Amino acid sequence: FIGGGIFTLIVGFYLSRFLAKFTWMTCATNQFALFPEKLECEVENIFHEATTFFPSQVFDLCPHALIRLLPNVVEICSVGGNTDNVTACVSGAMDQKHHHYELALSIVPIQFHAISISLFASLVSPFGGFLASAIKRAYGIKDFDSLIPGHGGLMDRFDCQLIMALGTWVHYNTFVKTTTVSVAKMLYMYKLLGDDERRQFLEKISKA
């Protein structure tokens, strides 16, 4: 269980970066063809490599001697005791005092989402099997069906996938999906406005 979880995190982190290079993984399409053509689209920022900084608060929990052994970690110092004036520490500088450690990471944002989904798959999804077993036990049956000899039916093989699908859907709609605007949505929001706000809205629209 623990080993599988660690392996899932590692694979999810690096595989998501690799798959982000292919348009068939980053471009949305509603067309299905026997011989599909090459996809072309404006790739979302979530699939572009970016520079982010590792939370410096995490380094405060670790011994300084251990942190200094990590590659690409930069020690940041305040100059003259002024915390608003910080720079990379220089060995032997008397007017510098340790402020925090900084680690810049070159990463594709989808990798962060892959970590959270991998954690969910490792820690939560296996309980889908317990849920399915509880349902079967309540109805006094061994398997949902007998389509697969010795293994029950399709539901017996996909019990964990049901929990995983729900978790992925919630994560996508909460953290990934780009907010879209439609005429129907704007009309709905307009009806929620008060009379004064409606007048202000119409005035702004007429000037646009």
Side-chain angles (χ1 to χ4, degrees), residues 189-207:
M189 298 299 295
Y190 176 78
K191 293 177 180 178
L192 297 178
L193 299 175
D195 293 336
D196 293 337
E197 292 175 322
R198 289 185 181 184
R199 281 193 293 270
Q200 294 178 16
F201 176 78
L202 293 175
E203 290 175 1
K204 297 289 186 181
I205 291 294
S206 62
K207 295 178 181 179

Side-chain angles (χ1 to χ4, degrees), residues 50-162:
T51 301
T52 185
F53 290 93
F54 192 79
S56 59
Q57 295 85 351
V58 177
F59 293 126
D60 296 336
L61 305 176
C62 304
H64 287 207
L66 177 62
I67 298 173
R68 291 190 178 98
L69 296 176
L70 299 176
N72 301 324
V73 175
V74 179
E75 186 176 5
I76 305 298
C77 290
S78 59
V79 180
N82 183 6
T83 56
D84 294 330
N85 184 14
V86 294
T87 184
C89 296
V90 178
S91 179
M94 301 299 295
D95 61 337
Q96 291 186 347
K97 184 179 180 181
H98 170 80
H99 188 268
H100 68 276
Y101 288 101
E102 197 171 86
L103 175 61
L105 299 174
S106 179
I107 196 171
V108 180
I110 190 64
Q111 291 181 272
F112 287 119
H113 299 283
I115 290 176
S116 60
I117 292 176
S118 298
L119 279 172
F120 186 88
S122 303
L123 303 177
V124 181
S125 289
F127 290 95
F130 298 143
L131 175 62
S133 297
I135 295 174
K136 288 184 286 188
R137 189 176 294 109
Y139 283 92
I141 57 177
K142 183 177 181 296
D143 297 313
F144 285 115
D145 207 334
S146 57
L147 180 65
I148 308 174
H151 295 279
L154 291 177
M155 283 293 296
D156 295 287
R157 297 297 92 202
F158 286 89
D159 45 12
C160 296
Q161 300 300 326
L162 297 177

